Amino acid sequence: MIKTRWCFLFAVLASLPFMAVTQSKKLLDKKATVETRNLYQHLDRLTQKGVMFGHQDDLAYGVNWKYEVGRSDIKEVVNDYPAVFGWDIANLESDDDKNIDGVPFSKMKDYMKWVYDNGGINTISWHMKNPVTAGSAWDTTRAVSSILPGGAQHELYKSWLDKGARFLAQLKGSNGKAIPILFRPFHELNGAWFWWGGKHASPAEFIALWQFTIKYLRDEKQLHNLIYVYNTNSFATSKEFMEKYPGDDYADMMSFDSYCFAGSDTTAAGLKQAADKFNKSLKHNLGILQAQAKLHNKISALAETGFEGIPYPKWWTETLYSAVKDYQLSYVLVWRNHGWQKSTQRFHYYAPYKGQLSATDFKDFYKETGTMFKNEIAKEKVYQQKK
Ligand code: BMA
């Protein structure tokens, strides 16, 4: 007995120098392309340097403009682009040539190519339609069990994945290589608003769907340019965050989305109060995310955030940066700059544009040593082997 214990201790001590090697993060796709593997290693390393800034649809449109080559609301504020560019492929499943927000898929492909060619990083989400009703992602008619193998809509679901896979396979850089993508399907999975979310699927059903989807894209469709991102909305406990975690072999990154909302008091003091409340809840969630990411040896991210219309002028430094700076986050991405939204009768944007109320503070956020934008990331050559 004693002898076995000594042997065990010896084995542990002897393996210590190699721990760092065994701890290095491995993608779930063993056939991932070289560029995808390189990106993953760089993402891991760069969390030591700071957090990358991301923006949804950044190159496609902004407040009061659309489809102007080279234009970006972020660029007009800080003379640099985001490091991470978010895109959504909803509507591919219905053979539309434009996505859910009117972005033509042909343009989206060009933007993603530009991002890759210029050393930035692309991430994709998919507000997939409800496969049972063909209604929107927000149609919560129960659907998950019927798209699993053996379910009535399984073949239809596969045909939708085929369409997504065709698009993903077409993403190539000027060097002819597949563009690595941070792929974030079935996002905000604990929220009640999407057909795959909350109580609309049991944990077992959700996990079965997630695992099937990855195996289908990786093994059937032979896509090897995807880094899979697990994503919840904000949550109360680590139990809630992990309730539908599909397992370490089915996720490369862990993340959540969390938005700041104004209360009924929209005076300066009321907005500050809302921002402070958000800052506190963000820190609480980031603490849990970091602990779980560490435990499971994954990279973490704040995959969506923002304060619609950014009415609090110091939101970037006092609210967002003061929360994220103490965590090892890969990136934070703010949602799209739609501009005036008829359906809600509000301005719908999450990044500043030139002259916007929070633009000055955003410049300070940009200057923080712990934030990274495209110019800095391009120098890191994230698709090449790390030295
Ligand atoms: C939501 C809003 C919608 C949009 C959807 C998908 O948060 O921005 O206007 O259609 O995301 O991008």
Side-chain angles (χ1 to χ4, degrees), residues 127 137-140 186-189 191-198 200:
H127 282 80
W138 292 266
D139 177 341
T140 55
F186 305 121
H187 64 296
E188 302 177 354
L189 61 94
W193 43 90
F194 296 131
W195 57 262
W196 58 83
H200 311 303

Side-chain angles (χ1 to χ4, degrees), residues 56 88 100-101 127 138 259 335-336 341 348:
Q56 187 75 4
D88 196 281
I100 185 169
D101 300 312
H127 282 80
W138 292 266
Y259 283 88
W335 205 239
R336 59 198 204 93
Q341 200 168 42
H348 185 58

Side-chain angles (χ1 to χ4, degrees), residues 19-32:
M19 289 291 235
V21 177
T22 50
Q23 285 296 297
S24 106
K25 295 177 178 54
K26 295 268 186 302
L27 285 169
L28 65 88
D29 181 359
K30 300 298 166 239
K31 292 191 191 160

Side-chain angles (χ1 to χ4, degrees), residues 200-212:
H200 311 303
S202 70
E205 285 169 342
F206 181 86
I207 290 170
L209 174 63
W210 181 282
Q211 295 186 349
F212 169 81

Side-chain angles (χ1 to χ4, degrees), residues 5 15 23 32 49 52 64 145 149 174 222 253 264 273 294 303 313-314 348:
R5 258 193 223 158
S15 66
Q23 285 296 297
K49 261 193 111 174
M52 295 188 285
N64 296 326
S145 57
S174 290
Q222 290 286 320
M253 296 180 71
S264 52
Q273 214 175 21
K294 216 169 170 176
K314 291 269 188 184
H348 185 58

Side-chain angles (χ1 to χ4, degrees), residues 181-345:
I181 302 294
L182 311 183
F183 186 52
R184 185 171 64 100
F186 305 121
H187 64 296
E188 302 177 354
L189 61 94
N190 60 333
W193 43 90
F194 296 131
W195 57 262
W196 58 83
K199 295 210 165 28
H200 311 303
S202 70
E205 285 169 342
F206 181 86
I207 290 170
L209 174 63
W210 181 282
Q211 295 186 349
F212 169 81
T213 304
I214 288 190
K215 284 189 268 186
Y216 191 75
L217 296 176
R218 182 191 61 192
D219 306 336
E220 292 291 323
K221 308 314 291 182
Q222 290 286 320
L223 286 172
H224 300 299
N225 56 333
L226 305 181
I227 294 177
Y228 291 92
V229 186
Y230 173 79
N231 178 255
T232 69
N233 199 59
S234 53
F235 47 87
T237 60
S238 66
K239 184 166 175 269
E240 184 184 349
F241 179 61
M242 295 301 287
E243 194 182 10
K244 293 179 177 175
Y245 181 63
D248 291 348
D249 292 342
Y250 290 94
D252 297 310
M253 296 180 71
M254 285 180 169
S255 68
F256 67 89
D257 294 359
S258 187
Y259 283 88
C260 182
F261 294 99
S264 52
D265 181 357
T266 53
T267 62
L271 292 169
K272 178 170 168 40
Q273 214 175 21
D276 287 349
K277 190 173 151 210
F278 173 70
N279 170 275
K280 224 172 132 195
S281 94
L282 196 54
K283 283 182 185 159
H284 170 65
N285 279 191
L286 288 169
I288 291 174
L289 171 69
Q290 177 149 306
Q292 288 299 332
K294 216 169 170 176
L295 197 64
H296 295 271
N297 200 23
K298 303 292 172 191
I299 299 170
S300 50
L302 177 53
E304 280 182 39
T305 187
F307 192 176
E308 190 187 58
I310 329 149
Y312 182 59
K314 291 269 188 184
W315 194 79
W316 302 102
T317 56
E318 273 184 21
T319 312
L320 183 64
Y321 190 66
S322 95
V324 300
K325 70 177 175 23
D326 296 328
Y327 300 90
Q328 278 182 13
L329 272 185
S330 173
Y331 69 90
V332 304
L333 179 143
V334 298
W335 205 239
R336 59 198 204 93
N337 274 15
H338 177 88
W340 179 254
Q341 200 168 42
K342 259 199 224 145
S343 58
T344 55
Q345 287 289 299

